[in-house]
Amino acid sequence: MKVAVIGAGYVGLTTALSLAYVGHEVVGVDLDTDRVARLNRGELPFYEPHAKEMLALVRERLHFTARYEEAIPQAEVIFIAVGTPSLPDGTPDLSQVRSAAQAIGRHLGEGFTVVVNKSTVPVGSGNYVEALVRRAFREAHGGEPDGRLAVASNPEFLREGQALHDSLYPDRVVVGAEDRRAIEVLRELYEPILEQSFAPPPFLPRPERMGAVPFLTTDLVSAELIKYGANAFLALKISFINELARLAEKVGADIREVARGVGLDHRIGPRFLQAGLGWGGSCFPKDTAALLAMGREYGLSLPITEAAREVNFSQRNLIVDKLLAELKTLKGKTIILLGLAFKPHTDDLRESPALALAELLLERGAFVRAHDPVALPRARQEVTLPLEYAETPEEAFQGADAVVLATDWPEYRTWHWERLRGLLRTPLVVDGRNFLDGKALSAVGYRYVGVGIPALGILSKVEV
Ligand code: UGA
C-alpha cells in the first residue's frame, strides 16, 4: 500500500521503517530539510539500535521529503506522528498536529484516504483532526471530501531503544475509528505484522513463541484513552515499587527480592518493577501530566496518577539524601554521574532523571562529572547545566568523591571497578538503578548503596 508518515521522530521513523520493511511504499515527511537530507543519505537523526541498518535495507521502498505535496495526494494511509510536547500546564501542544492536519486537507488525493493519529494526543483529538482536515479541504477546494476521508487512532506502544523490535513484534495493534472502512484498510496494512508473515531482519530475530498479534478495534476515543491508560499504569507500577522500596529500606528488606516475589503473580507480572531513580523520557512524564490536565478539564481529579508523579519526582531527592548521609556535605565534592540518557540504549535526554539529579547536586554545591556511552555529543549540545564531561572511566574517576549510577547501561557492569577504585578520593557507589553487583564491589573495597536494598561495605578514604 502507499503510505505517508508525517514526522520523522522516534515514532514516525520507526513506523516508516517497519511498514517499508514489511513491503509497503512509504514516504516520510518532515519539515526539517536538514533531517530529510540526512535521512535520504542513510543517516539517523538520533541513536536507536538497528535503525540505521533497517534504513539501508528498505531504501527502495522508503524515501523522505519536506514537501507535503510529494507524499499526501497518492497516499492511501497517512500517519500523523509529529511531536506533542507539554505546555507549562501539562496539556500537550497540538500545534504540529494542527499543521499536519491542515496540510493533509490541502493536498488530499482523489482516492479513499485514512488519516491515522499515531502521536499521543488528548482524548477527542481524532474528531479535532477530522474537523481540521475537512476545513482545510473546503478552503483549498470548496465542497466536502465526503467518502474520501476517514480518521483513525492507532496508538504506538514502542519503547525507545527497542523501537523496531516493538513495532515488528508488538503485543497488540489497537485501531479506533468510527468508519468500518478505515479499520479494514488498517487491518490490511498491518496484516504482515498481525500474521507475522514477514521474514525477520537478520539483526532482529522473531521472539520465541511469538504467535499472531491481537488486533483490537474500538471507537476513536477508546483507542486514544488506551494509550494513556497503558503509559499511566506502567508509570504507576514503577512508582509503586519505589514507594515499597522506601519501606523496604526502613524494615531491612531487599526490594529486588520483594519485586521478584510480587511479580511472579501472573496478575501482576514481573516487568516494570525495577526500583531506582524513577521514570523519565518523553512519554511517562508528559502523558501522566496530560491525563491530569484532561481530568481537570472535566472537573475530575486523578489521585493515583498524581501520586505516581509525586513519588517519581521525589526519588531523585532520595539519592541526594543517600549521598549526604555518606559524605556529610556535597559542597566542593565531585560526583560522577554514570549515564545521562533517560534509560539505556538511547541518547534521548528528555526528562532524564540523571539530569534532574545533576541539578539537585549542583544546587548543593557539588561538581558533577558525567559519563554516557552514547549521549555525550547530544548532552554537549542540549544540556545547559554546568556539567563536566568524561569520555573514559579513568577521566571520570580521577579525584572524585562518589559514583552515582543513574542509567543502567550494560557496559557499566563490565568496567574494571577494582582498578578504578584507586583513582577515587572516597570509594562510594550509589546505585540509582540497583544495577551493579554490590557484593563484588564491596569485596574490592567500595561502600555500595542502592535503592531499597541493604547497603554493603564500609566507607574508607583511599590512601594515595
Ligand atoms: C514508554 C512505554 O514503555 C511505551 O510502551 C510507550 O509506547 C512509550 O513510552 C511512548 O509513549 O511513546 P519509553 O518512554 O521509551 O516507553 O521507555 P520505558 O522503557 O517505558 O522506560 C521509561 C522510564 O522508566 C525510563 O526512565 C526507565 O529507566 C524507567 N523504568 C522502567 C524504571 O525506573 N523501572 C522499571 O522497572 C522500568
Side-chain angles (χ1 to χ4, degrees), residues 222-246:
S222 298
E224 289 170 341
L225 193 53
I226 284 170
K227 169 69 188 196
Y228 283 103
N231 271 2
F233 191 83
L234 291 169
L236 79 88
K237 201 173 173 191
I238 300 166
S239 283
F240 179 76
I241 206 70
N242 279 330
E243 180 174 285
L244 218 53
R246 295 177 188 187

Side-chain angles (χ1 to χ4, degrees), residues 347-370:
D347 62 354
D348 196 344
L349 300 164
R350 285 175 291 177
E351 298 270 353
S352 173
L355 289 173
L357 177 60
E359 200 168 353
L360 293 176
L361 296 173
L362 291 165
E363 278 167 15
R364 292 267 184 178
F367 297 99
V368 179
R369 196 181 288 160

Side-chain angles (χ1 to χ4, degrees), residues 10-11 120 155-162 166 172 227 230-231 234-235 237-239 241-242 270-287 312 316 341-344 346 348 351-353 406-408 432-433:
Y10 286 98
V11 170
T120 303
E156 182 54 69
F157 302 106
L158 63 85
R159 293 161 293 176
E160 286 179 25
Q162 322 204 30
D166 290 352
R172 77 295 209 192
K227 169 69 188 196
N231 271 2
L234 291 169
K237 201 173 173 191
I238 300 166
S239 283
I241 206 70
N242 279 330
R271 295 159 74 194
F272 278 63
L273 285 178
Q274 196 188 319
L277 251 181
W279 36 265
S282 67
C283 304
F284 292 171
K286 179 164 79 75
D287 293 352
N312 189 63
R316 292 123 198 212
F342 82 96
K343 66 171 187 176
T346 178
D348 196 344
E351 298 270 353
S352 173
T407 313
D408 35 349
R433 298 286 176 188

Side-chain angles (χ1 to χ4, degrees), residues 231-391:
N231 271 2
F233 191 83
L234 291 169
L236 79 88
K237 201 173 173 191
I238 300 166
S239 283
F240 179 76
I241 206 70
N242 279 330
E243 180 174 285
L244 218 53
R246 295 177 188 187
L247 186 59
E249 252 172 50
K250 299 283 181 213
V251 300
D254 183 327
I255 196 64
R256 293 167 301 191
E257 299 299 314
V258 176
R260 203 166 299 143
V262 169
L264 277 169
D265 185 326
H266 288 305
R267 293 168 300 174
I268 298 173
R271 295 159 74 194
F272 278 63
L273 285 178
Q274 196 188 319
L277 251 181
W279 36 265
S282 67
C283 304
F284 292 171
K286 179 164 79 75
D287 293 352
T288 50
L291 209 52
L292 295 183
M294 257 183 275
R296 276 200 304 276
E297 228 179 278
Y298 295 90
L300 190 69
S301 69
L302 302 168
I304 294 180
T305 306
E306 208 148 343
R309 286 173 61 82
E310 199 183 306
V311 169
N312 189 63
F313 298 126
S314 57
Q315 278 306 99
R316 292 123 198 212
N317 297 83
L318 295 188
I319 301 292
V320 176
D321 292 346
K322 286 172 190 289
L323 283 167
L324 276 175
E326 300 293 334
L327 299 175
K328 308 306 172 203
T329 178
L330 294 178
K331 290 194 181 59
K333 299 277 163 89
T334 299
I335 311 295
I336 307 162
L337 207 54
L338 294 187
L340 280 179
F342 82 96
K343 66 171 187 176
H345 311 294
T346 178
D347 62 354
D348 196 344
L349 300 164
R350 285 175 291 177
E351 298 270 353
S352 173
L355 289 173
L357 177 60
E359 200 168 353
L360 293 176
L361 296 173
L362 291 165
E363 278 167 15
R364 292 267 184 178
F367 297 99
V368 179
R369 196 181 288 160
H371 176 276
D372 191 287
V374 305
L376 287 191
R378 219 162 145 178
R380 285 198 169 95
Q381 280 184 358
E382 294 176 14
V383 175
T384 51
L385 299 172
L387 304 183
E388 299 167 16
Y389 295 109
E391 299 285 345

Side-chain angles (χ1 to χ4, degrees), residues 7 12 35 46 96 139 162 172 179 198 250 372 380 382 425 443:
R35 179 171 284 218
F46 44 75
Q96 295 179 52
E139 277 163 23
Q162 322 204 30
R172 77 295 209 192
D179 187 323
F198 62 89
K250 299 283 181 213
D372 191 287
R380 285 198 169 95
E382 294 176 14
R425 262 205 293 257

